Amino acid sequence: MAAENSRRSGVSEWRCVGTVEQLRKQKCRRLYAAAGRSQDVALFYVGEKFHALEASCAHAEGPLDQGDIEELNGCYTVVCPLHFYEFDISTGKSESGLQQQTYEVKQEDGNVYVKFDCELHLRRPERK
């Protein structure tokens, strides 16, 4: 019962994903969801701020954590590497009309937290 609850609670909670010092070294990384690959999150560090989006593109499930990050007038977008759809990292919106799920992120006591409904890991957990 406890393992099942830790995998997918259905209730969003603040999940510590690492230290600010560690996570700001990369502009983007994938956070692996205990609930499965379709729930993974892309964590971005741009403009001295963290942002989180669902990791799979809404168009064809391309890996946004592997996309290019572009900046124009202080607005950051990620470009899907499969079909080049662009998504605003802050809002998840695309000019194409597609929308990525966004997640709240906060920094507290030197750690980064993402509000999410299951555990998130920096390394791919063993999935059964």
Side-chain angles (χ1 to χ4, degrees):
M1 180 84 151
E4 182 178 305
N5 188 30
S6 69
R7 240 186 261 144
R8 183 103 185 170
S9 68
V11 176
S12 291
E13 299 176 16
W14 288 109
R15 312 289 178 166
C16 183
V17 295
T19 66
V20 171
E21 186 66 31
Q22 174 189 25
L23 296 174
R24 70 179 181 185
K25 292 178 183 178
Q26 283 182 247
K27 283 188 176 182
C28 184
R29 68 175 66 232
R30 190 176 200 101
L31 300 176
Y32 298 94
R37 186 169 178 81
S38 66
Q39 301 297 314
D40 288 352
V41 172
L43 181 70
F44 298 91
Y45 182 71
V46 292
E48 303 295 317
K49 189 173 178 186
F50 289 97
H51 304 271
L53 299 174
E54 61 186 316
S56 297
C57 176
H59 173 247
E61 299 184 9
L64 292 183
D65 56 296
Q66 295 175 25
D68 289 333
I69 298 169
E70 298 179 356
E71 185 265 334
L72 179 63
N73 299 323
C75 180
Y76 293 90
T77 59
V78 60
V79 181
C80 180
L82 293 186
H83 300 107
F84 309 107
Y85 283 89
E86 293 183 33
F87 297 91
D88 183 300
I89 289 173
S90 297
T91 65
K93 293 181 181 178
S94 172
E95 290 182 8
S96 69
L98 293 173
Q99 174 74 45
Q100 289 295 119
Q101 175 69 45
T102 60
Y103 304 100
E104 293 179 72
V105 181
K106 71 177 181 178
Q107 297 179 50
E108 189 173 281
D109 298 326
N111 292 309
V112 177
Y113 297 83
V114 177
K115 197 165 194 177
F116 200 67
D117 63 356
C118 71
E119 292 178 25
L120 294 167
H121 306 277
L122 292 175
R123 292 188 176 87
R124 184 186 319 265
E126 291 186 33
R127 296 190 173 143
K128 299 173 184 176

